[in-house]
């Protein structure tokens, strides 16, 4: 297989490209294994059924692919594999490397090679209904109250331009162009008939962590509305809610706890309506004052927003292209000459496949909340890597992840994300021997003390697992970091002034 791309979409532009491959099988297979990846991100469908998303975040020299057995989704006769590939463009998350918008899928054996991505073997379409809206965290105080926001852009979808049903077998793709060659697909451990096959860009490696789990999560309560009476049956009993024509309404939903995933809204009618879907981790008294999250009196909504513009059709579903963290969701709806019916709105919660194995019980109810709060924080921020926070940054920092690793090991015993983080930090080294302060990320952020914390993490893992064979790979890096610091020691045993960012923590008044 080769990396393939749309023939006219600019390689680094923000874009959503849809890929389709129809193929025949004489019988339903017992096993049908594929490997799949994309730049930046993909959603995979087989015969109209959603299967998974990926890839896990790596860098260009360590680009992950997922391995799946899709036999349960296949049947005798005509079959379809379809994928949505999203590139969030220059304003993508700080964690996201990118070479070009491209897709790669390869069958594991000759039997599955019928689905390989090769030039002219797949069809594709640029989904021009899907646009991306960067979050201006520096100047736009209606989206971000304060602080850094470095996640992916928001989504804007114009339904009348959307190719509804594109992932179904009966969709007519006769006028879709053929996907063209983008790059060789290869990696350190991949071979073909002529020997090892190296890529000119991304080097593929197997995913180290488990596939993310996505589960339907109902939204809890409607906290308040403007321009329309509350409909308590909409969320509680799943009964449709009709917004009259020529109305402006605001619906504030309080989940009552922080969660993370892909909120999914399905509507009918409402041609030319405008729906803004905002996500916030709290409500604000002032732009920098949060107060008690349970008290909404006098507070206003500040949060990032997606946009969906219905076309009047039936059962149109909006779902964001990437994770949204929220306790509060605000729907801001403006209808035109046609009423809009809201059929359903729920969250598809997304987390890594880690389970709570520990118990903590006392006779003090307040103390018993610590386990629930701690596990919620740790598990939500366990995605395809260990996130520093769910809402604002979503980056894997060395310092933050040391605490996260210890919590995950203590509460679940699952070390897959820990091992992945330790390797990724080690692979981030600059020529001087220091690690990046957070990784993966394509920008240069060096905090020398975090390189020492990486050694602390390795020591933590040694005490926890005593896996000497695994730890051997880090010996050279440990020596490089210690040597960097020892060369800057003064005769009195103290460090001299050091390069880079000499941060360690954030005490009050830190500058």
């Amino acid at each position: 297989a080769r990396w393939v791309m749309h023939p006219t979409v600019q390689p680094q532009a923000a874009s959503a490209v849809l890929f389709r491959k129809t193929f025949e099988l004489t019988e339903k297979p017992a096993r049908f294994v594929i490997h799949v990846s994309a730049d930046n991100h993909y959603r995979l469908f087989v015969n109209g059924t959603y299967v998974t998303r990926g890839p896990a975040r790596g860098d260009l020299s360590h680009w992950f692919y997922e391995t799946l057995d899709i036999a349960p989704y296949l049947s005798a006769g005509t079959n379809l594999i379809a994928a949505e590939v999203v590139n969030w463009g220059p304003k993508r998350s700080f964690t996201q490397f990118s070479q070009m918008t491209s897709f790669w899928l390869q069958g594991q054996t000759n039997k599955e090679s019928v689905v390989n991505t090769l030039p002219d073997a797949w069809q594709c379409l640029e989904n021009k209904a899907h646009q991306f809206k960067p979050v201006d965290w520096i100047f736009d105080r209606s989206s971000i109250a304060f602080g850094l926001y470095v996640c992916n852009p928001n989504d804007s979808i114009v339904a009348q331009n959307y190719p509804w049903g594109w992932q179904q077998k009966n969709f007519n793709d006769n006028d879709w162009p053929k996907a063209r060659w983008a790059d060789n697909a290869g990696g350190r451990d991949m071979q073909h008939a002529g020997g090892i096959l190296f890529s000119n860009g991304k080097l593929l490696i197997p995913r180290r962590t488990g596939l993310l789990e996505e589960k339907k999560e109902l939204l809890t309560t409607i906290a308040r509305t403007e321009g329309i009476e509350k409909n308590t049956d909409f969320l509680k009993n799943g009964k449709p809610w009709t917004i009259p024509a020529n109305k402006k309404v605001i619906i504030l939903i309080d989940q009552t706890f922080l969660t993370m995933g892909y909120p999914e809204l399905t509507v009918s009618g409402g041609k030319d309506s405008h729906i803004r879907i905002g996500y916030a981790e709290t409500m604000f008294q002032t732009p920098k004052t949060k107060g008690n999250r349970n008290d909404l009196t006098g507070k206003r909504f500040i949060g990032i927003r997606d946009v969906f513009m219905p076309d009047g059709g039936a059962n149109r579903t909006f779902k964001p292209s990437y994770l949204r963290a929220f306790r509060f969701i605000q729907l801001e709806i403006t209808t035109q000459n046609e009423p809009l019916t809201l059929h359903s709105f729920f969250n598809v919660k997304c987390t890594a496949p880690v389970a709570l194995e520990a118990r903590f019980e006392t006779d003090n109810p307040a103390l018993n909340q610590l386990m629930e709060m701690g596990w919620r924080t740790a598990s939500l921020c366990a995605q395809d890597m260990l996130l520093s926070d769910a809402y604002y940054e979503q980056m894997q920092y060395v310092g933050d992840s040391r605490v996260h690793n210890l919590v995950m090991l203590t509460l679940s015993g699952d070390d897959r994300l820990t091992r992945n983080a330790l390797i990724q930090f080690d692979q981030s080294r600059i020529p001087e021997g220091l690690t990046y302060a957070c990784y993966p990320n394509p920008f240069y952020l060096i905090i020398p003390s975090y390189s020492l914390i990486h050694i602390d993490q390795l020591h933590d893992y040694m005490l926890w697992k005593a896996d000497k064979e695994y730890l051997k790979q880090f010996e050279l890096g440990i020596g490089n970091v210690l040597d960097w610091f020892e060369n800057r020691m003064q005769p009195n045993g103290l460090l001299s002034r050091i390069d880079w960012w000499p941060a360690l923590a954030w005490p009050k008044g830190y500058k």
Side-chain angles (χ1 to χ4, degrees):
R2 301 289 187 268
W3 287 98
V4 294
M5 65 190 300
H6 190 279
T8 60
V9 171
Q10 293 300 306
Q12 283 291 344
S15 59
V17 180
L18 310 176
F19 292 88
R20 285 171 54 94
K21 173 64 176 178
T22 302
F23 60 102
E24 301 291 327
L25 293 174
T26 57
E27 61 181 4
K28 180 178 174 60
R31 183 173 170 82
F32 199 97
V33 177
I34 61 171
H35 312 293
V36 58
S37 190
D39 182 352
N40 300 172
H41 187 78
Y42 72 84
R43 286 194 303 153
L44 187 73
F45 299 83
V46 178
N47 288 333
T49 299
Y50 169 71
V51 177
T52 194
R53 63 173 67 245
R57 276 165 287 188
D59 58 38
L60 296 180
S61 297
H62 310 89
W63 197 274
F64 291 112
Y65 65 86
E66 283 72 41
T67 298
L68 310 163
D69 181 2
I70 61 171
Y73 305 96
L74 300 174
S75 61
T78 302
N79 290 270
L80 171 76
I81 298 180
E84 176 192 57
V85 174
V86 167
N87 187 327
W88 290 289
K91 297 296 185 180
R92 63 180 66 89
S93 164
F94 277 24
T95 66
Q96 183 66 57
F97 283 83
S98 180
Q99 181 201 17
M100 67 179 80
T101 307
S102 50
F103 180 60
W104 172 81
L105 187 146
Q106 179 167 308
Q108 180 160 289
T109 69
N110 186 59
K111 178 186 71 173
E112 294 105 349
S113 65
V114 65
V115 298
N116 287 1
T117 47
L118 295 167
D120 298 330
W122 283 62
Q123 291 172 282
C124 60
L125 177 77
E126 181 183 8
N127 185 3
K128 295 184 178 180
H130 197 160
Q131 302 295 318
F132 300 93
K133 310 187 311 148
V135 176
D136 187 353
W137 59 273
I138 299 176
F139 297 109
D140 182 6
R141 289 294 165 246
S142 67
S143 295
I144 296 296
F146 61 93
L148 182 68
Y149 184 88
V150 290
C151 306
N152 286 313
N154 294 336
D155 299 294
S156 177
I157 291 182
V158 180
Q160 67 179 4
N161 299 328
Y162 195 91
W164 297 103
W166 67 272
Q167 70 273 46
Q168 303 295 332
K169 282 197 292 186
N170 60 0
F171 183 85
N172 185 354
D173 59 8
N174 291 337
D175 59 348
W176 285 29
K178 299 289 187 181
R180 76 174 194 185
W181 178 89
D183 194 6
N184 291 333
R188 295 172 178 83
D189 61 344
M190 305 186 90
Q191 298 187 13
H192 68 134
I196 296 176
L197 178 63
F198 286 98
S199 167
N200 297 318
K202 301 177 282 284
L203 293 177
L204 288 158
I205 64 171
R207 184 186 181 109
R208 297 192 193 103
T209 57
L211 292 175
L212 297 176
E213 294 181 344
E214 299 182 42
K215 297 179 181 179
K216 182 177 179 179
E217 178 183 64
L218 297 180
L219 299 176
T220 304
T221 184
I222 296 174
R224 66 191 185 201
T225 59
E226 295 179 27
I228 196 169
E229 293 294 320
K230 286 185 185 179
N231 181 345
T232 56
D233 287 336
F234 175 58
L235 297 181
K236 186 178 297 183
N237 301 318
K239 294 184 178 180
W241 189 0
T242 298
I243 312 299
N246 301 306
K247 290 281 289 185
K248 290 184 178 181
V249 305
I250 295 176
I251 303 167
L252 179 67
I253 296 170
D254 182 0
Q255 184 66 349
T256 71
F257 54 85
L258 186 74
T259 190
M260 198 168 190
Y262 296 87
E264 190 169 309
L265 175 66
T266 299
V267 305
S268 291
K271 181 176 173 58
D272 298 326
S273 296
H274 187 278
I275 306 172
R276 294 212 302 174
I277 310 168
Y279 316 90
E281 49 92 15
T282 188
M283 299 284 283
F284 289 86
Q285 294 170 335
T286 70
K288 290 191 177 184
T289 305
K290 299 179 180 181
N292 188 329
R293 284 174 168 81
N294 295 325
D295 182 7
L296 304 185
T297 305
K299 291 186 178 179
R300 63 191 181 106
F301 183 94
I302 301 175
I304 62 171
R305 291 172 170 88
D306 294 320
V307 172
F308 182 49
M309 288 165 275
D311 62 350
N315 296 311
R316 301 307 200 202
T317 297
F318 172 85
K319 191 174 186 177
S321 63
Y322 202 64
L323 288 166
R324 301 290 183 253
F326 64 92
R327 168 171 168 168
F328 298 94
I329 293 184
Q330 182 160 285
L331 299 177
E332 301 167 18
I333 302 173
T334 302
T335 59
Q336 300 300 325
N337 296 326
E338 184 176 302
L340 174 73
T341 299
L342 311 181
H343 290 294
S344 63
F345 193 29
F346 55 85
N347 182 41
V348 180
K349 185 178 179 180
C350 182
T351 58
V354 293
L356 176 62
E357 301 291 349
R359 293 177 60 194
F360 176 79
E361 295 179 2
T362 75
D363 57 2
N364 186 325
L367 290 178
N368 288 337
Q369 295 179 27
L370 293 175
M371 176 63 85
E372 192 278 334
M373 291 187 293
W375 179 245
R376 180 179 299 280
T377 302
S379 59
L380 284 180
C381 290
Q383 297 289 329
D384 52 27
M385 62 181 189
L386 298 169
L387 306 185
S388 57
D389 71 73
Y391 189 88
Y392 292 94
E393 296 190 42
Q394 296 182 6
M395 296 197 290
Q396 184 171 253
Y397 281 93
V398 177
D400 304 58
S401 66
R402 185 188 182 193
V403 178
H404 203 164
N405 281 326
L406 290 171
V407 171
M408 293 295 290
L409 289 170
T410 302
L411 299 187
S412 78
D414 193 317
D415 69 348
R416 287 174 292 179
L417 284 161
T418 298
R419 291 165 68 96
N420 180 64
L422 293 175
I423 292 172
Q424 288 190 316
F425 295 143
D426 190 60
Q427 291 170 341
S428 75
R429 293 186 187 281
I430 64 174
E432 293 179 42
L434 297 174
T435 64
Y436 274 46
C438 61
Y439 205 76
N441 73 72
F443 71 98
Y444 229 60
L445 179 58
I446 309 296
I447 302 177
S449 60
Y450 277 32
S451 295
L452 292 174
I453 294 174
H454 181 236
I455 299 175
D456 291 333
Q457 285 191 337
L458 294 169
H459 185 256
D460 294 338
Y461 189 78
M462 180 185 71
L463 295 176
W464 190 271
K465 290 286 185 177
D467 187 346
K468 293 182 179 180
E469 289 303 312
Y470 170 77
L471 291 168
K472 280 182 179 179
Q473 64 186 300
F474 303 106
E475 289 181 11
L476 181 61
I478 291 171
N480 288 339
V481 172
L482 296 178
D483 183 66
W484 189 91
F485 279 94
E486 287 174 355
N487 287 334
R488 287 156 180 79
M489 296 282 282
Q490 301 178 103
N492 63 2
L494 298 177
L495 279 174
S496 61
R497 184 179 182 87
I498 62 174
D499 300 327
W500 308 106
W501 187 9
L504 186 60
W506 295 94
K508 186 177 182 179
Y510 173 82
K511 295 180 180 179

